[in-house]
Short mmCIF file of all heavy atoms in Angstrom, two decimals:
data_model
loop_
_atom_site.label_atom_id
_atom_site.label_comp_id
_atom_site.label_asym_id
_atom_site.label_seq_id
_atom_site.Cartn_x
_atom_site.Cartn_y
_atom_site.Cartn_z
N VAL A 1194 14.12 -44.10 18.10
CA VAL A 1194 14.16 -42.66 17.92
C VAL A 1194 12.73 -42.12 17.93
O VAL A 1194 11.84 -42.66 17.28
CB VAL A 1194 14.85 -42.32 16.58
CG1 VAL A 1194 14.84 -40.83 16.33
CG2 VAL A 1194 16.27 -42.85 16.57
N ASP A 1195 12.53 -41.06 18.70
CA ASP A 1195 11.23 -40.42 18.76
C ASP A 1195 10.99 -39.68 17.45
O ASP A 1195 11.79 -38.84 17.03
CB ASP A 1195 11.18 -39.46 19.94
CG ASP A 1195 9.82 -38.85 20.14
OD1 ASP A 1195 8.83 -39.43 19.65
OD2 ASP A 1195 9.75 -37.79 20.80
N ALA A 1196 9.89 -39.96 16.77
CA ALA A 1196 9.61 -39.37 15.45
C ALA A 1196 9.43 -37.86 15.54
O ALA A 1196 9.89 -37.12 14.67
CB ALA A 1196 8.38 -40.02 14.84
N ALA A 1197 8.79 -37.37 16.59
CA ALA A 1197 8.56 -35.94 16.71
C ALA A 1197 9.87 -35.20 16.94
O ALA A 1197 10.11 -34.12 16.36
CB ALA A 1197 7.59 -35.65 17.86
N ALA A 1198 10.73 -35.74 17.77
CA ALA A 1198 12.02 -35.10 18.03
C ALA A 1198 12.89 -35.09 16.77
O ALA A 1198 13.59 -34.13 16.50
CB ALA A 1198 12.75 -35.81 19.17
N GLN A 1199 12.83 -36.17 16.02
CA GLN A 1199 13.61 -36.24 14.78
C GLN A 1199 13.10 -35.23 13.76
O GLN A 1199 13.87 -34.59 13.07
CB GLN A 1199 13.53 -37.65 14.21
CG GLN A 1199 14.44 -37.87 13.03
CD GLN A 1199 14.36 -39.31 12.53
OE1 GLN A 1199 13.50 -40.07 12.93
NE2 GLN A 1199 15.26 -39.66 11.65
N GLN A 1200 11.79 -35.04 13.67
CA GLN A 1200 11.22 -34.08 12.73
C GLN A 1200 11.57 -32.65 13.15
O GLN A 1200 11.90 -31.82 12.31
CB GLN A 1200 9.70 -34.24 12.67
CG GLN A 1200 9.05 -33.38 11.62
CD GLN A 1200 7.55 -33.62 11.56
OE1 GLN A 1200 6.99 -34.31 12.41
NE2 GLN A 1200 6.91 -33.05 10.58
N ASP A 1201 11.53 -32.35 14.46
CA ASP A 1201 11.89 -31.01 14.93
C ASP A 1201 13.36 -30.71 14.64
O ASP A 1201 13.71 -29.60 14.25
CB ASP A 1201 11.63 -30.89 16.43
CG ASP A 1201 10.15 -30.90 16.76
OD1 ASP A 1201 9.34 -30.64 15.84
OD2 ASP A 1201 9.81 -31.19 17.93
N ALA A 1202 14.22 -31.70 14.80
CA ALA A 1202 15.64 -31.51 14.51
C ALA A 1202 15.87 -31.28 13.03
O ALA A 1202 16.70 -30.45 12.64
CB ALA A 1202 16.44 -32.72 14.99
N ALA A 1203 15.11 -31.95 12.18
CA ALA A 1203 15.26 -31.76 10.73
C ALA A 1203 14.79 -30.37 10.32
O ALA A 1203 15.42 -29.72 9.48
CB ALA A 1203 14.47 -32.83 9.99
N VAL A 1204 13.71 -29.88 10.91
CA VAL A 1204 13.22 -28.55 10.59
C VAL A 1204 14.21 -27.49 11.05
O VAL A 1204 14.49 -26.52 10.34
CB VAL A 1204 11.83 -28.33 11.24
CG1 VAL A 1204 11.41 -26.87 11.17
CG2 VAL A 1204 10.80 -29.20 10.56
N ALA A 1205 14.79 -27.66 12.23
CA ALA A 1205 15.77 -26.69 12.74
C ALA A 1205 17.01 -26.68 11.86
O ALA A 1205 17.58 -25.61 11.59
CB ALA A 1205 16.13 -27.03 14.18
N ALA A 1206 17.47 -27.83 11.42
CA ALA A 1206 18.65 -27.90 10.56
C ALA A 1206 18.36 -27.25 9.21
O ALA A 1206 19.22 -26.57 8.64
CB ALA A 1206 19.09 -29.34 10.37
N GLU A 1207 17.15 -27.45 8.69
CA GLU A 1207 16.80 -26.85 7.40
C GLU A 1207 16.71 -25.34 7.52
O GLU A 1207 17.14 -24.61 6.62
CB GLU A 1207 15.48 -27.42 6.91
CG GLU A 1207 15.11 -26.96 5.52
CD GLU A 1207 13.85 -27.65 5.02
OE1 GLU A 1207 13.63 -28.81 5.37
OE2 GLU A 1207 13.10 -26.99 4.29
N ASP A 1208 16.17 -24.82 8.61
CA ASP A 1208 16.07 -23.38 8.81
C ASP A 1208 17.46 -22.75 8.86
O ASP A 1208 17.69 -21.67 8.31
CB ASP A 1208 15.32 -23.06 10.09
CG ASP A 1208 13.83 -23.35 9.98
OD1 ASP A 1208 13.36 -23.52 8.83
OD2 ASP A 1208 13.16 -23.41 11.02
N GLN A 1209 18.38 -23.39 9.54
CA GLN A 1209 19.72 -22.84 9.66
C GLN A 1209 20.49 -22.95 8.35
O GLN A 1209 21.30 -22.10 8.04
CB GLN A 1209 20.48 -23.55 10.77
CG GLN A 1209 21.78 -22.88 11.12
CD GLN A 1209 22.38 -23.45 12.38
OE1 GLN A 1209 21.83 -24.35 12.98
NE2 GLN A 1209 23.50 -22.93 12.78
#
Side-chain angles (χ1 to χ4, degrees):
V1194 177
D1195 185 21
Q1199 187 178 11
Q1200 186 178 9
D1201 291 341
V1204 169
E1207 186 175 326
D1208 288 345
Q1209 190 169 0

